[in-house]
Coordinates of all heavy atoms in Angstrom, one line a residue:
A124 N 184.5 128.9 -97.4 CA 184.4 128.7 -95.9 C 183.5 127.5 -95.6 O 183.8 126.6 -94.8 CB 183.8 129.9 -95.3
E125 N 182.4 127.4 -96.3 CA 181.4 126.3 -96.1 C 182.0 125.0 -96.4 O 181.9 124.0 -95.6 CB 180.1 126.5 -96.9 CG 179.0 125.5 -96.6 CD 177.7 125.9 -97.2 OE1 177.7 126.7 -98.1 OE2 176.7 125.3 -96.8
A126 N 182.7 124.9 -97.6 CA 183.4 123.7 -98.0 C 184.5 123.3 -97.0 O 184.7 122.1 -96.7 CB 183.9 123.8 -99.4
A127 N 185.2 124.3 -96.5 CA 186.3 124.0 -95.6 C 185.8 123.5 -94.3 O 186.4 122.6 -93.7 CB 187.2 125.3 -95.4
L128 N 184.7 124.0 -93.8 CA 184.1 123.4 -92.6 C 183.7 122.0 -92.8 O 183.9 121.1 -91.9 CB 182.9 124.3 -92.1 CG 183.3 125.7 -91.6 CD1 182.0 126.5 -91.4 CD2 184.1 125.6 -90.3
D129 N 183.1 121.7 -93.9 CA 182.7 120.3 -94.2 C 184.0 119.4 -94.3 O 183.9 118.2 -94.0 CB 182.0 120.3 -95.6 CG 180.6 120.9 -95.5 OD1 180.1 121.0 -94.3 OD2 180.0 121.2 -96.5
A130 N 185.1 120.0 -94.7 CA 186.3 119.2 -94.9 C 187.1 119.0 -93.6 O 188.1 118.2 -93.6 CB 187.3 119.9 -95.9
G131 N 186.7 119.7 -92.5 CA 187.3 119.5 -91.2 C 187.8 120.7 -90.5 O 188.4 120.6 -89.4
A132 N 187.6 121.9 -91.1 CA 188.1 123.1 -90.4 C 187.2 123.4 -89.2 O 186.0 123.0 -89.2 CB 188.0 124.3 -91.4
H133 N 187.7 124.1 -88.2 CA 187.0 124.3 -87.0 C 186.6 125.8 -86.8 O 185.7 126.1 -86.0 CB 187.9 124.0 -85.8 CG 188.3 122.6 -85.8 ND1 189.5 122.2 -86.3 CD2 187.8 121.4 -85.3 CE1 189.7 120.9 -86.2 NE2 188.6 120.4 -85.5
M134 N 187.3 126.7 -87.5 CA 187.0 128.1 -87.3 C 187.3 128.9 -88.5 O 187.9 128.4 -89.5 CB 187.8 128.7 -86.1 CG 189.3 128.7 -86.3 SD 190.3 129.2 -84.8 CE 189.8 130.9 -84.7
L135 N 186.7 130.1 -88.6 CA 186.8 131.0 -89.8 C 187.5 132.2 -89.5 O 187.4 132.8 -88.4 CB 185.4 131.4 -90.3 CG 184.4 130.2 -90.6 CD1 183.0 130.8 -91.1 CD2 184.9 129.3 -91.6
N136 N 188.4 132.7 -90.4 CA 189.2 133.9 -90.2 C 188.9 134.8 -91.4 O 189.4 134.5 -92.5 CB 190.7 133.5 -90.1 CG 191.6 134.7 -89.9 OD1 191.1 135.8 -89.7 ND2 192.9 134.5 -90.1
D137 N 188.2 135.8 -91.2 CA 187.7 136.8 -92.2 C 188.5 138.1 -92.2 O 188.2 138.9 -91.3 CB 186.2 137.0 -92.1 CG 185.7 138.0 -93.2 OD1 186.4 138.3 -94.1 OD2 184.6 138.4 -93.0
I138 N 189.4 138.3 -93.1 CA 190.2 139.6 -93.1 C 189.4 140.8 -93.5 O 189.9 141.9 -93.3 CB 191.4 139.4 -94.0 CG1 191.0 139.3 -95.4 CG2 192.3 138.3 -93.5 CD1 192.2 139.5 -96.4
T139 N 188.2 140.6 -94.0 CA 187.3 141.8 -94.3 C 186.4 142.1 -93.2 O 185.6 143.1 -93.3 CB 186.5 141.5 -95.6 OG1 185.4 140.7 -95.3 CG2 187.4 140.9 -96.7
G140 N 186.3 141.4 -92.1 CA 185.5 141.7 -91.0 C 184.0 141.7 -91.4 O 183.2 142.6 -91.0
L141 N 183.6 140.7 -92.2 CA 182.2 140.6 -92.7 C 181.8 141.6 -93.7 O 180.6 141.6 -94.1 CB 181.2 140.6 -91.5 CG 181.4 139.5 -90.5 CD1 180.4 139.6 -89.3 CD2 181.2 138.1 -91.1
R142 N 182.7 142.4 -94.3 CA 182.3 143.3 -95.3 C 182.1 142.7 -96.6 O 181.2 143.1 -97.4 CB 183.3 144.5 -95.4 CG 183.3 145.4 -94.2 CD 184.4 146.5 -94.3 NE 185.7 145.9 -94.4 CZ 186.5 146.0 -95.5 NH1 186.0 146.7 -96.6 NH2 187.7 145.5 -95.5
A143 N 182.9 141.7 -97.0 CA 182.8 141.0 -98.3 C 181.7 140.0 -98.3 O 181.0 139.9 -99.3 CB 184.1 140.3 -98.6
A144 N 181.5 139.3 -97.2 CA 180.4 138.3 -97.2 C 179.8 138.2 -95.8 O 180.2 137.5 -95.0 CB 181.0 136.9 -97.5
P145 N 178.8 139.1 -95.6 CA 178.1 139.1 -94.3 C 177.6 137.7 -93.9 O 177.4 137.4 -92.7 CB 177.0 140.1 -94.5 CG 177.5 141.0 -95.6 CD 178.3 140.1 -96.5
G146 N 177.3 136.9 -94.9 CA 176.8 135.5 -94.6 C 177.7 134.6 -93.9 O 177.3 133.6 -93.4
L147 N 179.0 135.0 -93.8 CA 179.9 134.2 -93.0 C 179.5 134.1 -91.6 O 179.8 133.1 -90.9 CB 181.3 134.8 -93.1 CG 182.1 134.5 -94.4 CD1 183.4 135.3 -94.4 CD2 182.4 133.0 -94.5
A148 N 178.9 135.1 -91.1 CA 178.5 135.1 -89.7 C 177.4 134.1 -89.4 O 177.5 133.3 -88.5 CB 178.0 136.5 -89.2
A149 N 176.4 134.0 -90.3 CA 175.3 133.0 -90.2 C 175.9 131.6 -90.3 O 175.5 130.7 -89.6 CB 174.3 133.2 -91.2
L150 N 176.9 131.4 -91.2 CA 177.5 130.1 -91.4 C 178.3 129.7 -90.2 O 178.1 128.6 -89.7 CB 178.5 130.2 -92.6 CG 179.4 129.0 -92.8 CD1 178.5 127.8 -93.2 CD2 180.4 129.2 -93.9
A151 N 179.0 130.6 -89.6 CA 179.8 130.3 -88.4 C 178.8 130.0 -87.2 O 179.0 129.0 -86.5 CB 180.7 131.5 -88.0
G152 N 177.7 130.7 -87.1 CA 176.8 130.5 -86.1 C 176.1 129.1 -86.2 O 176.0 128.4 -85.2
A153 N 175.7 128.8 -87.4 CA 175.1 127.5 -87.7 C 176.0 126.3 -87.4 O 175.6 125.2 -87.0 CB 174.5 127.4 -89.1
A154 N 177.3 126.5 -87.8 CA 178.3 125.5 -87.6 C 178.9 125.4 -86.2 O 179.7 124.5 -86.0 CB 179.4 125.7 -88.7
E155 N 178.5 126.4 -85.4 CA 179.1 126.5 -84.0 C 180.6 126.6 -84.1 O 181.4 126.0 -83.4 CB 178.7 125.3 -83.2 CG 177.2 125.2 -82.9 CD 176.8 124.1 -82.0 OE1 177.6 123.2 -81.7 OE2 175.7 124.1 -81.5
A156 N 181.1 127.5 -85.1 CA 182.5 127.7 -85.3 C 182.8 129.1 -84.9 O 182.1 130.1 -85.1 CB 182.8 127.5 -86.8
P157 N 184.0 129.3 -84.2 CA 184.5 130.6 -83.9 C 184.7 131.4 -85.2 O 185.0 130.8 -86.2 CB 185.8 130.4 -83.1 CG 185.7 129.0 -82.7 CD 184.9 128.3 -83.7
L158 N 184.6 132.7 -85.0 CA 184.8 133.6 -86.2 C 185.8 134.7 -85.8 O 185.6 135.4 -84.8 CB 183.5 134.2 -86.6 CG 183.5 135.3 -87.7 CD1 184.0 134.7 -89.0 CD2 182.1 135.9 -87.9
V159 N 186.8 134.9 -86.6 CA 187.8 136.0 -86.5 C 187.3 137.1 -87.4 O 187.1 136.9 -88.6 CB 189.2 135.6 -86.8 CG1 190.2 136.8 -86.6 CG2 189.7 134.4 -86.0
V160 N 187.2 138.3 -86.8 CA 186.8 139.5 -87.7 C 188.0 140.5 -87.6 O 188.5 140.8 -86.5 CB 185.5 140.2 -87.2 CG1 184.3 139.3 -87.6 CG2 185.5 140.5 -85.8
M161 N 188.5 140.9 -88.7 CA 189.7 141.8 -88.8 C 189.3 143.1 -89.3 O 188.5 143.2 -90.2 CB 190.8 141.1 -89.6 CG 192.1 141.9 -89.6 SD 193.3 141.3 -90.7 CE 192.9 142.2 -92.2
H162 N 190.0 144.2 -88.8 CA 189.8 145.5 -89.4 C 190.7 145.7 -90.6 O 191.9 145.4 -90.6 CB 190.1 146.6 -88.4 CG 190.1 148.0 -89.1 ND1 191.2 148.5 -89.6 CD2 189.1 148.9 -89.3 CE1 190.9 149.7 -90.1 NE2 189.6 149.9 -89.9
A163 N 190.1 146.1 -91.7 CA 190.9 146.5 -92.9 C 190.0 147.5 -93.7 O 188.8 147.6 -93.4 CB 191.2 145.3 -93.7
I164 N 190.6 148.2 -94.6 CA 189.8 149.0 -95.6 C 190.0 148.5 -97.0 O 191.0 147.8 -97.2 CB 190.2 150.5 -95.5 CG1 191.7 150.7 -95.8 CG2 189.8 151.0 -94.1 CD1 192.0 152.1 -95.8
G165 N 189.1 148.7 -97.8 CA 189.1 148.1 -99.2 C 188.8 146.7 -99.1 O 188.5 146.1 -98.0
L166 N 188.8 146.0 -100.3 CA 188.5 144.6 -100.3 C 189.7 143.9 -101.0 O 190.4 144.6 -101.7 CB 187.2 144.4 -101.1 CG 185.9 144.9 -100.4 CD1 184.7 144.8 -101.3 CD2 185.7 144.0 -99.1
P167 N 189.8 142.6 -100.8 CA 190.9 141.9 -101.5 C 191.0 142.2 -103.0 O 189.9 142.2 -103.7 CB 190.6 140.4 -101.2 CG 189.9 140.5 -99.9 CD 189.0 141.7 -99.9

């Protein structure tokens, strides 16, 4: 996610809803990027 934002992405789409990497929220906040959180059970 961090490398993709550096490469030109504008927003993050997390299918685990921050369960796999809670740090995605801090990354999105610092980058001023929207964040999609999805409901799912289990992990990829």
Side-chain angles (χ1 to χ4, degrees):
E125 186 171 16
L128 290 173
D129 289 342
H133 303 92
M134 63 188 292
L135 306 179
N136 181 9
D137 177 14
I138 66 168
T139 76
L141 298 176
R142 290 179 302 114
L147 281 173
L150 173 64
E155 299 184 344
L158 173 66
V159 181
V160 289
M161 189 187 86
H162 172 269
I164 59 173
L166 292 172

